[in-house]
Amino acid sequence: MTEQVAFRGWPHCLRLNNGTVDLVLTTDVGPRVVRYGFEGKDNVLCEVRDEDGITGGDTWHTFGGHRLWHSPEASPRTYQADNAPVPFEEVEGLIRLKPALETATGIQKELDVSLDPTGTGVTLTHRLINQGLWPVRLAAWAITVMAPGGVEVIPQTRVDTGLLPNRCVSLWPYARMDDARVRWGDRFVVLHQDPTAKPPFKLGLTNEAGWAAYFNKHSVFVKRFPFVPGETYPDFGVNCESYTTDFMLEMETLSPLRTLQPGEAMEHVESWQLIPDVSYPDGSEDDLTAVLTDCCHLELPQARL
């Protein structure tokens, strides 16, 4: 069921509801998904409350929720303000959000969102179209801003490459490897969102398993995304990135880099799932593996022999 609602000060929002979970998409700014959660329960996405209801102007705002960018990151290209109304249409069971063309970049964004008839599944198709006059090399970049207080789990690859390296980790200039919020495990990288820690931290990984999970408020949010072997990814070759500061944690996924000719488009698809009555097991990696296996049925890295 889809209905028009007001949410966080934006009067023109679309609420998708299947009786188990609901999504809210605002059409006053964006495209943004500003709510996802069990019906009547907490929003698992971050809400930046001092930006509620803001529209118009040339300043880019975080807003929280889920957004679509294009990589590599650069200012001012990446930070084009998305504060204008967003036209939408219902197409074969999904909502398509289609904001105005980014005139500074020539890139047209589109975000298709659909909610499964039952359960908690959501599918998001992120689309970039080059409406400019020359080729553009870029990647689709899907960013989900999570509510504070949780723990993110990212699987590490276990591909045996013999004498050659098998993992790529990217770190940003402000990221300290001894940051207390990150644990570099054998099978997983675990990143804690700490509301008392303001210094930013960001990492990127080659995530061949194609999933990441965020435990918070007795549920776990799982996002799944494709990994294409042999393709070139941004930021030293990573397809999964995470950024955290005191008020949120971003779960970010990227498509391979593509050179879009004028008129060409690219897509990047994510699927979401929300699993209730699950808490982060603050113990061994075996404990974490057991929880993820039992509740999420994920492709999990094996312990090193």
Side-chain angles (χ1 to χ4, degrees):
M1 179 179 71
T2 302
E3 59 180 333
Q4 295 203 12
V5 298
F7 185 77
R8 287 182 50 198
W10 291 297
H12 306 104
C13 298
L14 302 172
R15 179 174 179 260
L16 285 66
N17 168 39
N18 67 3
T20 301
V21 295
D22 64 341
L23 288 160
V24 176
L25 325 174
T26 178
T27 63
D28 290 298
V29 296
R32 301 294 178 103
V33 180
V34 290
R35 173 179 162 80
Y36 176 48
F38 290 105
E39 189 173 13
K41 303 293 185 180
D42 290 332
N43 187 2
V44 302
L45 306 181
C46 175
E47 299 180 357
V48 183
R49 302 316 299 263
D50 60 359
E51 296 182 339
D52 284 359
I54 289 177
T55 61
D58 296 328
T59 301
W60 183 84
H61 297 283
T62 301
F63 290 136
H66 179 84
R67 67 182 185 270
L68 168 59
W69 270 3
H70 38 95
S71 180
E73 185 172 4
S75 183
R77 190 196 76 174
T78 305
Y79 294 86
Q80 296 297 301
D82 54 357
N83 308 326
V86 179
F88 73 94
E89 56 184 335
E90 295 193 50
V91 182
E92 297 179 354
L94 59 83
I95 302 295
R96 175 166 294 162
L97 301 173
K98 187 174 180 179
L101 175 71
E102 287 185 352
T103 56
T105 67
I107 299 301
Q108 172 71 60
K109 297 176 180 176
E110 293 183 357
L111 178 61
D112 293 352
V113 183
S114 64
L115 174 64
D116 288 354
T118 61
T120 66
V122 179
T123 302
L124 302 99
T125 300
H126 310 81
R127 189 174 300 108
L128 300 175
I129 307 166
N130 181 9
Q131 301 287 24
L133 300 177
W134 48 78
V136 179
R137 187 159 177 80
L138 77 175
W141 186 5
I143 302 174
T144 310
V145 189
M146 305 306 298
V151 182
E152 183 184 18
V153 177
I154 306 170
Q156 297 199 52
T157 183
R158 310 308 279 155
V159 176
D160 185 356
T161 52
L163 299 177
L164 298 176
N166 71 345
R167 279 165 285 182
C168 177
V169 177
S170 296
L171 293 171
W172 273 249
Y174 48 80
R176 294 175 56 105
M177 290 196 73
D178 63 351
D179 193 305
R181 291 169 290 185
V182 63
R183 186 177 74 192
W184 306 95
D186 179 49
R187 283 173 274 175
F188 307 100
V189 176
V190 176
L191 183 59
H192 291 252
Q193 197 290 321
D194 182 352
T196 68
K198 188 175 181 61
F201 177 87
K202 185 169 183 178
L203 62 81
L205 298 168
T206 303
N207 185 335
E208 295 181 344
W211 64 266
Y214 188 73
F215 292 82
N216 200 14
K217 298 180 181 179
H218 306 294
S219 67
V220 58
F221 168 85
V222 178
K223 92 157 48 184
R224 293 176 172 86
F225 46 92
F227 171 73
V228 186
E231 293 281 3
T232 300
Y233 283 88
D235 301 335
F236 299 143
V238 298
N239 68 319
C240 179
E241 299 177 352
S242 290
Y243 172 91
T244 189
T245 183
D246 57 341
F247 69 95
M248 56 81 164
L249 181 145
E250 290 182 346
M251 301 174 70
E252 311 174 6
T253 70
L254 299 118
S255 75
L257 284 163
R258 290 279 187 270
T259 298
L260 291 186
Q261 300 296 325
E264 285 190 333
M266 65 184 303
E267 292 185 350
H268 175 63
V269 180
E270 287 187 349
S271 61
W272 293 357
Q273 183 183 17
L274 190 59
I275 301 161
D277 305 320
V278 184
S279 296
Y280 176 72
D282 197 6
S284 69
E285 288 198 326
D286 286 340
D287 296 331
L288 178 55
T289 297
V291 169
L292 292 170
T293 300
D294 291 343
C295 74
C296 305
H297 309 293
L298 294 168
E299 177 186 340
L300 298 172
Q302 300 300 310
R304 196 183 306 275
L305 298 177

